[in-house]
Amino acid sequence: ESGDASDNNIVDSKSAENIITEKGYLHEIAEEQESTSTIGLEEPVEEFDDDCLTCSVVTWNLAESPPSEKEASFFRKFRKIDGTGSDLVMIGAQECEEIKPRRAEGHRSRHIRRLGVQMLGKDYVPLAIHSLGGIQMALYCHRDVLGDVEMIDIADVTCGVGNVFHNKGAIGAYLKMRYHAESGVTKCSRMLFITAHLAAHVKNVDARNDDFKRIVSELEAQAPMRFLRPRKNRDGTPATCDGSHLLNSVDHVFFSGDLNYRVNLPREYVEHCINEIKTCTSKEPSAAGNLMKKLLRQDQLLQTIASGKAFHGFDEGKITFLPTFKFDKGTAFYDTSHKQRVPAWTDRILFKSNKLQVLDYNSVSGAVHSDHRPVYGTFKVGWGLTEQTMKKERSTKRKKSRSLRTR
C-alpha cells in the first residue's frame, strides 16, 4: 500500500454528481443482484395531495469535534419559505462526545443542538432532543404543522460491548400526526425516525446486521401503546418482538446514521475509480456511471439488503455522491495514514414507506472538520390512513377476532 496520498486523491464531489446523476446505474445493480428492492431506482412520480408533508434527515459523524457555523450552514436549505421547505427536520449525529461516564451533557452536544436551532430559525420547534453516549438526535417541527402533532416519544438502544456500552447504538423517535383536511377528512400518519451508529471495521458485516435487528426489536418492545398496539399470540400472550410488527405497522420509517458498511475492494482500486470519476467530463457520463457501478456492486449495505439478511423492505435514494469516509480531517484527502482505509459510503439514509418521493439525497463535500462527510435527504411523504379507513379496519379486525373465539 502507498504511504502518502498524491494530489489526485483530492475529489471534487460536485463535478462527479453532475456526471453521475444522469445514469440509472443502480437499476442495473439491482438487476444483477436479483434484488426485489427498489433501492436507487427511478420510480414513476406519484401524485401527492397538496397537504402532504416534507421531511429532511441529516446524519453526521462529528469525530468528537464541533463543526463551524459555516460547515453547518447547509441546515438552512431545509427552511420553509413561502410554503416550500421541510415540515420536519431530524438531525442525527454520531461521535458528538468522547465516550466516558459523565453527569452532564457535553459541550459538543450542546453546540450541535445550538447550530440546529440557529440555522433552522425561530419557526422550527424542537419536538424531541435525546443523547445516548456520543449519539444525538434532534427532531424539529415547523410551526405550520405543530398543531397536527398528536404524540411524540423517544427511546434508545445500546449496541456496544455486552449491549451495555454506549459507543454504538441508536435513538428512535416515535411521531404520530393527525391532520383535519378542509374536506372534512381526518388523515393520520405514524413515523419512526432512527439515527444509529453500528459496529465498525470491514469484516464485521454480521455484527452490523445484528445491530440492526437488535435496534428494531428493542424499539418495537419500547414503542408506546398510543403509537403501536403490542402484537399478541392467538392465546392472548404477548408475542416476541422481532421488529417486524413495528416496521410493517408504521407509515414511514427513516433509518439513518453511520451504518459503517464498507466497500469490499482494495484501496488502490477504489482510489483509481474515484480519480477516474474526477477526471471524467460531462461528455463522458457513461464512463463515470460504469465506474460508480463497479464500486457500488461491492457496497456491503446494498449486498446486505439484496440478500435479505437485514434492512428487508428498506429503500434508499440514488447515490450520486462519492464515498463519505474516511478523510484526513480538514482536507479533501482520503485516509493517508498507515492504515490507508478504503473509501466507503458509511453514512446513509434508508427508508421504508407506504408513499414517499425522494426530493434530494446528497453529501456536503465542504464540511471537512471530521473524517466523515455529512449526508442529508429530503423526502415528500404521503399521509397514512384516513379516519374512515381506520374505522373500517378496526371493525374488520373485531369481526375476525370474534370469529376466531367462536371456533
Short mmCIF file of all heavy atoms in Angstrom, two decimals, residues 86-90 116-117 120-129 138-147 149 152 175:
data_model
loop_
_atom_site.label_atom_id
_atom_site.label_comp_id
_atom_site.label_asym_id
_atom_site.label_seq_id
_atom_site.Cartn_x
_atom_site.Cartn_y
_atom_site.Cartn_z
N SER A 86 -39.13 22.20 4.44
CA SER A 86 -39.37 21.00 5.25
C SER A 86 -40.28 21.29 6.44
O SER A 86 -40.08 22.26 7.16
CB SER A 86 -38.03 20.43 5.75
OG SER A 86 -37.23 20.05 4.66
N ASP A 87 -41.26 20.40 6.62
CA ASP A 87 -42.14 20.48 7.79
C ASP A 87 -41.46 19.88 9.01
O ASP A 87 -41.64 20.34 10.13
CB ASP A 87 -43.45 19.75 7.52
CG ASP A 87 -44.20 20.34 6.35
OD1 ASP A 87 -44.63 21.50 6.44
OD2 ASP A 87 -44.35 19.64 5.32
N LEU A 88 -40.69 18.81 8.78
CA LEU A 88 -39.98 18.11 9.85
C LEU A 88 -38.51 17.98 9.47
O LEU A 88 -38.19 17.69 8.31
CB LEU A 88 -40.56 16.72 10.08
CG LEU A 88 -42.03 16.65 10.51
CD1 LEU A 88 -42.57 15.24 10.32
CD2 LEU A 88 -42.19 17.08 11.97
N VAL A 89 -37.63 18.22 10.43
CA VAL A 89 -36.19 18.08 10.20
C VAL A 89 -35.60 17.27 11.34
O VAL A 89 -35.72 17.64 12.51
CB VAL A 89 -35.48 19.45 10.12
CG1 VAL A 89 -33.98 19.25 9.89
CG2 VAL A 89 -36.09 20.31 9.01
N MET A 90 -34.97 16.15 11.00
CA MET A 90 -34.29 15.33 12.01
C MET A 90 -32.78 15.42 11.77
O MET A 90 -32.31 15.10 10.68
CB MET A 90 -34.74 13.88 11.95
CG MET A 90 -34.31 13.03 13.16
SD MET A 90 -32.59 12.50 13.11
CE MET A 90 -32.68 11.13 11.98
N GLY A 116 -28.38 23.71 15.16
CA GLY A 116 -29.66 23.34 14.56
C GLY A 116 -30.71 24.40 14.77
O GLY A 116 -31.41 24.81 13.82
N VAL A 117 -30.82 24.90 15.99
CA VAL A 117 -31.80 25.93 16.30
C VAL A 117 -31.49 27.22 15.54
O VAL A 117 -32.37 27.87 14.97
CB VAL A 117 -31.83 26.20 17.82
CG1 VAL A 117 -32.69 27.41 18.14
CG2 VAL A 117 -32.32 24.97 18.57
N LEU A 120 -31.98 26.68 11.51
CA LEU A 120 -33.36 26.47 11.08
C LEU A 120 -34.23 27.69 11.36
O LEU A 120 -35.18 27.98 10.62
CB LEU A 120 -33.95 25.23 11.77
CG LEU A 120 -33.35 23.90 11.35
CD1 LEU A 120 -33.94 22.76 12.18
CD2 LEU A 120 -33.57 23.62 9.86
N GLY A 121 -33.93 28.41 12.44
CA GLY A 121 -34.67 29.62 12.73
C GLY A 121 -35.82 29.43 13.70
O GLY A 121 -36.16 28.31 14.09
N LYS A 122 -36.44 30.54 14.05
CA LYS A 122 -37.46 30.56 15.11
C LYS A 122 -38.76 29.87 14.72
O LYS A 122 -39.60 29.59 15.59
CB LYS A 122 -37.76 32.00 15.52
CG LYS A 122 -38.33 32.85 14.41
CD LYS A 122 -38.55 34.29 14.86
CE LYS A 122 -39.14 35.14 13.74
NZ LYS A 122 -39.35 36.54 14.17
N ASP A 123 -38.96 29.59 13.44
CA ASP A 123 -40.20 28.93 13.02
C ASP A 123 -40.18 27.43 13.27
O ASP A 123 -41.19 26.75 13.06
CB ASP A 123 -40.46 29.19 11.53
CG ASP A 123 -40.91 30.63 11.27
OD1 ASP A 123 -41.52 31.23 12.17
OD2 ASP A 123 -40.63 31.14 10.17
N TYR A 124 -39.02 26.90 13.70
CA TYR A 124 -38.92 25.46 13.97
C TYR A 124 -38.82 25.22 15.48
O TYR A 124 -38.02 25.85 16.17
CB TYR A 124 -37.71 24.86 13.26
CG TYR A 124 -37.93 24.71 11.77
CD1 TYR A 124 -37.68 25.77 10.91
CD2 TYR A 124 -38.43 23.53 11.23
CE1 TYR A 124 -37.91 25.65 9.55
CE2 TYR A 124 -38.65 23.40 9.87
CZ TYR A 124 -38.40 24.47 9.03
OH TYR A 124 -38.63 24.34 7.68
N VAL A 125 -39.64 24.29 15.95
CA VAL A 125 -39.73 23.97 17.37
C VAL A 125 -39.15 22.58 17.61
O VAL A 125 -39.51 21.63 16.91
CB VAL A 125 -41.20 24.00 17.84
CG1 VAL A 125 -41.32 23.61 19.32
CG2 VAL A 125 -41.81 25.38 17.59
N PRO A 126 -38.24 22.44 18.58
CA PRO A 126 -37.72 21.09 18.89
C PRO A 126 -38.83 20.22 19.49
O PRO A 126 -39.41 20.55 20.52
CB PRO A 126 -36.62 21.36 19.92
CG PRO A 126 -36.31 22.82 19.81
CD PRO A 126 -37.58 23.47 19.39
N LEU A 127 -39.12 19.11 18.82
CA LEU A 127 -40.10 18.15 19.35
C LEU A 127 -39.44 17.15 20.30
O LEU A 127 -40.03 16.73 21.29
CB LEU A 127 -40.76 17.37 18.21
CG LEU A 127 -41.77 18.08 17.32
CD1 LEU A 127 -42.33 17.09 16.31
CD2 LEU A 127 -42.89 18.70 18.14
N ALA A 128 -38.21 16.75 19.96
CA ALA A 128 -37.51 15.75 20.76
C ALA A 128 -36.01 15.97 20.63
O ALA A 128 -35.50 16.18 19.53
CB ALA A 128 -37.87 14.34 20.29
N ILE A 129 -35.31 15.94 21.77
CA ILE A 129 -33.86 16.01 21.79
C ILE A 129 -33.37 14.94 22.75
O ILE A 129 -33.84 14.85 23.89
CB ILE A 129 -33.36 17.40 22.24
CG1 ILE A 129 -33.73 18.46 21.19
CG2 ILE A 129 -31.85 17.39 22.47
CD1 ILE A 129 -33.40 19.87 21.61
N ALA A 138 -32.00 15.25 17.25
CA ALA A 138 -32.88 16.40 17.47
C ALA A 138 -33.92 16.42 16.34
O ALA A 138 -33.55 16.41 15.16
CB ALA A 138 -32.08 17.70 17.48
N LEU A 139 -35.19 16.40 16.71
CA LEU A 139 -36.28 16.41 15.74
C LEU A 139 -37.02 17.74 15.87
O LEU A 139 -37.51 18.09 16.94
CB LEU A 139 -37.24 15.24 15.99
CG LEU A 139 -38.46 15.15 15.08
CD1 LEU A 139 -38.06 14.99 13.61
CD2 LEU A 139 -39.36 13.98 15.50
N TYR A 140 -37.06 18.50 14.77
CA TYR A 140 -37.68 19.82 14.75
C TYR A 140 -38.94 19.80 13.88
O TYR A 140 -39.00 19.10 12.87
CB TYR A 140 -36.71 20.86 14.18
CG TYR A 140 -35.41 20.97 14.94
CD1 TYR A 140 -34.31 20.19 14.59
CD2 TYR A 140 -35.27 21.86 16.00
CE1 TYR A 140 -33.11 20.29 15.28
CE2 TYR A 140 -34.07 21.97 16.69
CZ TYR A 140 -32.99 21.17 16.32
OH TYR A 140 -31.80 21.27 17.01
N CYS A 141 -39.91 20.62 14.28
CA CYS A 141 -41.19 20.70 13.57
C CYS A 141 -41.49 22.16 13.26
O CYS A 141 -41.35 23.04 14.12
CB CYS A 141 -42.29 20.10 14.44
SG CYS A 141 -43.95 20.19 13.72
N HIS A 142 -41.91 22.44 12.03
CA HIS A 142 -42.29 23.80 11.66
C HIS A 142 -43.62 24.16 12.32
O HIS A 142 -44.51 23.31 12.48
CB HIS A 142 -42.41 23.93 10.14
CG HIS A 142 -42.45 25.34 9.66
ND1 HIS A 142 -43.62 26.09 9.64
CD2 HIS A 142 -41.46 26.17 9.19
CE1 HIS A 142 -43.35 27.30 9.17
NE2 HIS A 142 -42.05 27.37 8.90
N ARG A 143 -43.75 25.42 12.70
CA ARG A 143 -44.95 25.86 13.42
C ARG A 143 -46.22 25.67 12.60
O ARG A 143 -47.31 25.55 13.15
CB ARG A 143 -44.80 27.33 13.83
CG ARG A 143 -43.72 27.55 14.88
CD ARG A 143 -43.65 29.00 15.33
NE ARG A 143 -42.51 29.21 16.21
CZ ARG A 143 -42.51 28.97 17.50
NH1 ARG A 143 -43.61 28.51 18.09
NH2 ARG A 143 -41.43 29.20 18.23
N ASP A 144 -46.10 25.64 11.27
CA ASP A 144 -47.28 25.46 10.41
C ASP A 144 -47.99 24.14 10.70
O ASP A 144 -49.22 24.04 10.53
CB ASP A 144 -46.88 25.49 8.94
CG ASP A 144 -46.62 26.90 8.43
OD1 ASP A 144 -46.88 27.86 9.18
OD2 ASP A 144 -46.16 27.04 7.28
N VAL A 145 -47.24 23.10 11.08
CA VAL A 145 -47.83 21.78 11.29
C VAL A 145 -47.72 21.34 12.75
O VAL A 145 -48.05 20.19 13.06
CB VAL A 145 -47.16 20.72 10.37
CG1 VAL A 145 -47.42 21.05 8.91
CG2 VAL A 145 -45.67 20.61 10.64
N LEU A 146 -47.29 22.23 13.62
CA LEU A 146 -47.12 21.87 15.02
C LEU A 146 -48.43 21.42 15.65
O LEU A 146 -48.45 20.49 16.47
CB LEU A 146 -46.55 23.07 15.79
CG LEU A 146 -46.11 22.83 17.23
CD1 LEU A 146 -45.04 21.75 17.31
CD2 LEU A 146 -45.62 24.13 17.86
N GLY A 147 -49.54 22.02 15.22
CA GLY A 147 -50.85 21.64 15.76
C GLY A 147 -51.32 20.27 15.32
O GLY A 147 -52.26 19.71 15.90
N VAL A 149 -49.36 17.60 15.44
CA VAL A 149 -48.62 16.59 16.21
C VAL A 149 -49.52 16.04 17.31
O VAL A 149 -49.94 16.77 18.20
CB VAL A 149 -47.33 17.19 16.82
CG1 VAL A 149 -46.64 16.15 17.69
CG2 VAL A 149 -46.40 17.67 15.72
N ILE A 152 -45.51 12.40 20.61
CA ILE A 152 -44.09 12.22 20.32
C ILE A 152 -43.47 11.49 21.51
O ILE A 152 -43.80 11.78 22.66
CB ILE A 152 -43.39 13.59 20.08
CG1 ILE A 152 -41.87 13.39 19.82
CG2 ILE A 152 -43.62 14.53 21.23
CD1 ILE A 152 -41.53 12.85 18.48
N LEU A 175 -43.35 9.36 16.19
CA LEU A 175 -44.15 10.56 15.93
C LEU A 175 -45.47 10.18 15.29
O LEU A 175 -45.50 9.44 14.30
CB LEU A 175 -43.38 11.51 15.00
CG LEU A 175 -44.12 12.77 14.55
CD1 LEU A 175 -44.43 13.68 15.74
CD2 LEU A 175 -43.30 13.52 13.49
#
